[in-house]
Amino acid sequence: MNRASSSRLSELPQRVESNRMSMVYATPQSKQSFGKLNIPKPQSVTSERRTSFFGSRTSGAGMARNSAFGAFGGAEKMKDPRPLHDKAYVQQCIRQLCEFLSEKGFPGSMSVKSLQSPSTKEFLKIFEFIYCLLDTTFQMPTSKVEEEVPRILKDLGYPFVLSKSSMYSVGAPHTWPQVLGAVVWLIDTVKIFCCMSDQDLLFADFSDGSTEIEDGVAFNKLFLDYTAETYNKFMQGADTFDEEDADYLAKLKRLYNVDEGLLASMEEKYRMLSDEVERLEKESQTDRLMVKRTEKVKLQTDLQKLQSYRSNLESFKANLENKASGLAEELEASGLQVETLKQEESRLQHILSTQKFTPADIERINWEKRELQQTINSLSKSLEQAEQHMWNEEIALAKAKETAEVKLAEYHKLARKLKLIPVSAENACGHDFEIRTSTEYGPSTMVQCRTQIQQLLRKLITDVDEECSRLTDMKLSLEESIEQVNSNISDKANDLKQLREQIRRLDEQLEQDMQDIAHEEQKWSAEMESVETHRKLLEKKVTLGYDESVEQLKAAQQQYHLVLQETNEERRTVVNNLASVLHLKFLEDQHKRVDRVYTEAFREDEVDIQKMKDIMESFITKVNSM
């Protein structure tokens, strides 16, 4: 007994819906529904007990609860939540498509630039290549591709509507994002399909290399024990089987020698790879090339500013060196003066020591000393104030120079944009509009340069205004001429239309007369031939329909006996394999149900045959009456 037939022993709904995935249901039942939302319908939550092993439930137990999700795929259209009108998201999808085509070996040259607005032919090649990864026998039809592509996406389960009109202009800005979203969804579907096709069965990594690991005697015994135990608990009123699942999982691990350490290491490796993928996805969302280019422009701007600041510092350093040399000379002169003053002081001290002073002379000398000290203090303060004023003036000069350089750079940028710089530019007309920076320029030179450039610019503006007025007059004259020509063309077109209408009326009258004559000649002969042919055709169709109905009846009877025989054989096989677990009443109910289904099908076939006989009799009656 394989897992497909024994995944759930009872067809009755569960009392409590569980989010866990049991080991019994690890293998999917079908692998052909690519990308469809498989939303299970919630079952009843009643807590009534079963009365037999496969007996019917009470009246309220079989009622299905109302669905909380609504009918999927109904008349209501789903809105695409993806930001398909966001340019960054569209560029990310284009890069993903380009990488996928390169990885899968697309037979053609595809780049991000060519995928910005592809043609319909290129899109069909890409779609056929991707869909062939799902179905290798697929070939794109040569006609009605605008209907075939949306139908294929709908059959695959694409949840959003792709109109047929979008297939006529795939690369248009208003249709390409929706078509690109469908292609990206198809790529994800192909990846899921490849992953599912390569996936092994449960615990296949720990087996001895055989794929049919669940067909052994040991597994069947474990599975039947687990099924019997859980079903007994279920009949006793239990709705969850966590302990039984854990015990069953432990036995399976012991049976197939599962390595817990290897599982833990694989989980850790998966977590690390997931973190790395998330980091790479975050980095790929931003255009690193544009970021690096922006950083490069910023660094170049900073380098220019640093170079300008360095030149300013060098000039400032040269000024300081000149001042230092001057101050050194002044300091040397002051040293000589100090030496002279010291010699004078020693001489005066000698005179003072050798001669006698009166108190009046001493008072006079002290007064002169205080006066000189006050003079020295005032001169020191004046010197400090002068040095501070000089420093402030140098700072103001540096700021004014920097402001002038910024304005001069803006002027040169605007002049280059207007093609006024250099002298050989288109709009320079041989004049030099460039302002050069030099420390030798004085105020008069700057005023003269400014006056000269303003005169040249005024002259250039006057020439441009004259040219604009001349072109405007020429445009008005050309518009008047075009209007006159259009008027003449419309008059001639009206005359031509009237002549064509007269010719058409004469042709229609002639054709109608010829048709009337031919119709009168062939009317009676065609009518007799048609009646005879119709009578023969009806006789032939009635005979063929009757024979076909008889053959269908015989085929249905043979199919019924064949299916009844197969059902009896399957019933005997299932009864022999599950005699220790299943009750005979369920199989009898199944047999009765099959008998009832095929009896109803046989009755419907008899009703259809009776209808065919009635139709045949009515046709025969009509033929005889004719």
Side-chain angles (χ1 to χ4, degrees):
M1 182 179 63
N2 54 14
R3 291 193 303 173
S5 62
S6 63
S7 59
R8 179 169 172 83
L9 298 179
S10 176
E11 293 182 352
L12 300 176
Q14 297 178 352
R15 292 191 185 94
V16 176
E17 184 178 358
S18 177
N19 293 326
R20 61 184 174 83
M21 177 62 73
S22 176
M23 294 296 103
V24 183
Y25 309 109
T27 304
Q29 298 297 327
S30 177
K31 294 184 180 179
Q32 300 301 325
S33 58
F34 307 112
K36 292 187 178 180
L37 297 177
N38 189 11
I39 301 177
K41 184 177 180 182
Q43 303 296 333
S44 174
V45 295
T46 182
S47 61
E48 296 182 8
R49 301 292 182 263
R50 276 69 173 171
T51 57
S52 66
F53 201 70
F54 286 101
S56 61
R57 300 184 61 184
T58 57
S59 60
M63 297 176 62
R65 72 173 70 161
N66 293 327
S67 176
F69 300 99
F72 177 76
E76 182 179 0
K77 295 181 180 180
M78 294 181 63
K79 185 177 180 182
D80 197 339
R82 297 174 294 181
L84 295 178
H85 297 286
D86 187 3
K87 293 183 179 179
Y89 181 77
V90 172
Q91 294 301 321
Q92 180 181 355
C93 293
I94 290 175
R95 288 195 295 271
Q96 182 180 355
L97 175 58
C98 186
E99 292 175 358
F100 180 81
L101 294 177
S102 301
E103 179 183 355
K104 297 298 181 180
F106 180 72
S109 60
M110 279 295 165
S111 61
V112 177
K113 184 177 180 181
S114 62
L115 291 176
Q116 298 292 334
S117 179
S119 62
T120 305
K121 185 177 180 180
E122 294 176 348
F123 166 74
L124 293 177
K125 288 182 179 179
I126 294 172
F127 182 84
E128 183 179 4
F129 173 76
I130 296 174
Y131 190 76
C132 284
L133 297 177
L134 296 176
D135 185 6
T136 56
T137 60
F138 173 75
Q139 291 184 354
M140 183 64 69
T142 58
S143 62
K144 294 184 178 181
V145 292
E146 66 277 359
E147 297 179 359
E148 188 69 17
V149 173
R151 184 191 63 79
I152 293 174
L153 291 173
K154 184 178 180 182
D155 292 342
L156 289 177
Y158 186 59
F160 311 113
V161 178
L162 191 64
S163 60
K164 294 190 295 184
S165 60
S166 61
M167 295 292 104
Y168 293 103
S169 57
V170 174
H174 62 282
T175 57
W176 174 234
Q178 283 75 17
V179 178
L180 180 61
V183 173
V184 171
W185 180 89
L186 184 59
I187 289 174
D188 295 337
T189 303
V190 171
K191 291 179 180 179
I192 294 172
F193 171 72
C194 294
C195 181
M196 292 176 64
S197 61
D198 295 338
Q199 186 180 8
D200 295 330
L201 295 175
L202 182 63
F203 301 128
D205 294 336
F206 308 104
S207 64
D208 295 332
S210 59
T211 56
E212 299 295 333
I213 64 172
E214 297 183 0
D215 292 336
V217 178
F219 174 79
N220 289 335
K221 185 178 183 302
L222 284 178
F223 174 69
L224 291 176
D225 293 341
Y226 167 76
T227 305
E229 186 177 358
T230 53
Y231 191 78
N232 290 332
K233 294 287 185 66
F234 178 71
M235 293 302 297
Q236 293 174 6
D239 290 319
T240 58
F241 313 100
D242 296 334
E243 296 180 359
E244 288 75 8
D245 289 343
D247 188 16
Y248 179 66
L249 181 60
K251 291 180 180 179
L252 284 178
K253 288 181 179 179
R254 289 196 301 270
L255 177 62
Y256 296 107
N257 298 323
V258 177
D259 190 357
E260 295 289 345
L262 179 60
L263 287 177
S265 63
M266 294 298 289
E267 289 178 357
E268 182 66 21
K269 184 177 179 181
Y270 173 75
R271 184 184 62 79
M272 295 173 62
L273 291 176
S274 300
D275 296 339
E276 183 69 17
V277 169
E278 184 178 0
R279 184 182 64 79
L280 292 176
E281 288 180 351
K282 289 181 180 179
E283 291 180 357
S284 63
Q285 290 178 359
T286 60
D287 195 346
R288 290 181 288 179
L289 181 60
M290 293 301 296
V291 173
K292 295 298 181 182
R293 288 178 178 174
T294 307
E295 292 180 357
K296 180 181 177 182
V297 172
K298 290 181 180 178
L299 292 175
Q300 289 178 351
T301 306
D302 294 340
L303 180 61
Q304 292 178 358
K305 290 182 179 179
L306 288 174
Q307 291 176 353
S308 176
Y309 182 68
R310 179 185 176 184
S311 62
N312 293 333
L313 287 179
E314 290 177 353
S315 61
F316 183 69
K317 179 182 178 181
N319 293 330
L320 289 180
E321 289 177 352
N322 294 328
K323 291 180 181 179
S325 62
L327 291 175
E329 294 176 355
E330 292 179 0
L331 182 61
E332 185 178 357
S334 299
L336 295 176
Q337 188 177 2
V338 168
E339 292 293 333
T340 306
L341 291 175
K342 285 182 179 180
Q343 293 176 2
E344 183 68 21
E345 182 183 5
S346 62
R347 187 181 64 79
L348 291 175
Q349 187 70 27
H350 178 69
I351 293 172
L352 179 63
S353 61
T354 56
Q355 69 180 2
K356 295 180 180 180
F357 293 98
T358 61
D361 293 336
I362 293 172
E363 185 177 356
R364 181 177 56 80
I365 290 172
N366 291 331
W367 181 81
E368 289 179 356
K369 181 180 180 181
R370 286 193 297 269
E371 289 292 332
L372 290 174
Q373 187 66 35
Q374 290 178 359
T375 303
I376 291 172
N377 293 333
S378 63
L379 289 176
S380 298
K381 290 181 181 179
S382 299
L383 180 61
E384 290 178 358
Q385 291 177 0
E387 289 178 352
Q388 184 66 30
H389 180 70
M390 184 180 66
W391 178 253
N392 294 333
E393 290 296 330
E394 288 178 354
I395 292 175
L397 179 61
K399 291 182 179 179
K401 186 177 180 182
E402 185 177 356
T403 305
E405 288 179 354
V406 171
K407 292 184 178 180
L408 185 61
E410 293 179 355
Y411 167 76
H412 285 166
K413 182 179 179 180
L414 182 60
R416 288 188 181 91
K417 187 176 181 180
L418 296 175
K419 298 181 180 179
L420 297 175
I421 294 176
V423 180
S424 60
E426 181 179 354
N427 298 327
C429 298
H431 301 292
D432 188 8
F433 289 93
E434 185 175 2
I435 300 176
R436 297 174 178 82
T437 58
S438 177
T439 57
E440 299 178 357
Y441 285 174
S444 60
T445 306
M446 295 300 296
V447 171
Q448 183 180 0
C449 183
R450 178 181 178 183
T451 304
Q452 182 180 359
I453 291 176
Q454 285 181 350
Q455 290 177 357
L456 294 175
L457 289 175
R458 289 193 184 97
K459 182 179 178 182
L460 183 61
I461 291 171
T462 304
D463 295 339
V464 171
D465 291 339
E466 291 178 356
E467 184 68 18
C468 289
S469 61
R470 185 179 66 80
L471 292 176
T472 304
D473 295 338
M474 185 181 295
K475 179 183 177 183
L476 292 175
S477 62
L478 289 174
E479 288 178 352
E480 291 177 357
S481 302
I482 290 171
E483 185 177 359
Q484 185 176 2
V485 171
N486 290 333
S487 177
N488 294 332
I489 290 173
S490 62
D491 294 338
K492 297 298 182 180
N494 291 331
D495 296 341
L496 181 62
K497 185 177 181 181
Q498 292 178 359
L499 292 174
R500 287 179 178 176
E501 183 66 22
Q502 292 178 1
I503 293 171
R504 185 184 63 80
R505 289 177 182 176
L506 292 174
D507 291 339
E508 289 179 355
Q509 184 66 31
L510 178 62
E511 185 178 358
Q512 184 65 32
D513 294 340
M514 294 298 292
Q515 289 179 358
D516 292 339
I517 293 172
H519 183 69
E520 289 295 334
E521 290 178 353
Q522 298 176 0
K523 181 177 180 181
W524 295 105
S525 59
E527 184 175 359
M528 294 300 296
E529 292 177 358
S530 175
V531 170
E532 184 65 24
T533 304
H534 184 64
R535 185 181 66 80
K536 294 179 180 179
L537 182 62
L538 286 176
E539 290 179 354
K540 184 177 180 181
K541 286 184 177 180
V542 168
T543 304
L544 292 175
Y546 178 75
D547 296 337
E548 184 178 357
S549 299
V550 172
E551 292 178 357
Q552 289 180 355
L553 177 60
K554 292 179 180 179
Q557 290 176 352
Q558 293 176 0
Q559 185 69 22
Y560 168 74
H561 291 298
L562 180 61
V563 171
L564 182 60
Q565 184 179 359
E566 292 178 354
T567 304
N568 292 330
E569 292 177 359
E570 290 179 358
R571 184 186 64 182
R572 287 192 298 271
T573 304
V574 171
V575 168
N576 292 329
N577 292 334
L578 300 177
S580 61
V581 181
L582 303 177
H583 195 272
L584 186 59
K585 182 178 179 181
F586 172 73
L587 297 177
E588 292 177 354
D589 293 338
Q590 290 292 102
H591 177 63
K592 291 179 180 179
R593 187 182 301 172
V594 172
D595 291 340
R596 184 169 62 253
V597 169
Y598 284 107
T599 303
E600 292 177 357
F602 183 72
R603 291 177 181 175
E604 291 177 358
D605 293 338
E606 288 182 350
V607 172
D608 294 336
I609 292 171
Q610 186 63 34
K611 289 181 180 179
M612 291 295 294
K613 289 181 179 180
D614 296 338
I615 294 171
M616 182 184 66
E617 291 177 357
S618 62
F619 281 157
I620 294 172
T621 305
K622 290 182 180 180
V623 170
N624 293 331
S625 62
M626 293 175 63

